[in-house]
Amino acid sequence: MFTIDERYRGLPANRDQVLALHLALNTPHVAIPGKQAGPAQAFVVGLRGGQGAGVFVYLYLVEAGDCAVYVSGRRIQSADELREDEDDALAFVESLGFMMDNANWRAATPAQQDEWLKTLPVFFREPTLVPAVKARAEEKRNVATTLGRFLAAF
């Protein structure tokens, strides 16, 4: 059973810590308690830590630039437990309407892994630091500034 853990805002990791990565192929509209409803991206990530491993479900709310991190609550000690939690996490996000794809982290090149670590919102400590979110915020500021100048001209 996966539950929201408000302590998490992102899952920053290095290549060696990532055990598995699954990405959503679609962005269904979801409603998460206490968050603005809207289109979301889903990520299922297996991470190795100092006390074992864990599987996380990361839902990124695209329009709000916010996230929700779900945890299973158990520390994984074996490959079988990792697969079991991965399967449970995938079933959970698929029940929300996501179609998931295995990114095959272990088979990806180091360059591809580095690209994912630098661009996917799941690996950022704070969702507002995601490059796409920062670019969208800058674009909104530019539009507002341009509109303000245009209106001031009259």
Side-chain angles (χ1 to χ4, degrees), residues 10-21 44-56 75-76 82 105-106 113-114 117 122-123 125:
L11 303 169
N14 62 46
R15 276 189 297 171
D16 297 333
Q17 291 176 301
V18 180
L19 300 171
L21 175 64
V44 173
V45 182
L47 293 176
R48 179 186 352 251
Q51 300 172 351
V55 174
F56 300 85
R75 286 286 172 203
I76 298 167
L82 177 67
W105 179 268
R106 292 181 192 124
Q113 292 173 345
D114 287 339
L117 290 170
V122 65
F123 296 118
R125 187 169 305 283

Side-chain angles (χ1 to χ4, degrees), residues 54-65:
V55 174
F56 300 85
V57 171
Y58 181 93
L59 300 182
Y60 178 63
L61 300 164
V62 177
E63 291 177 353

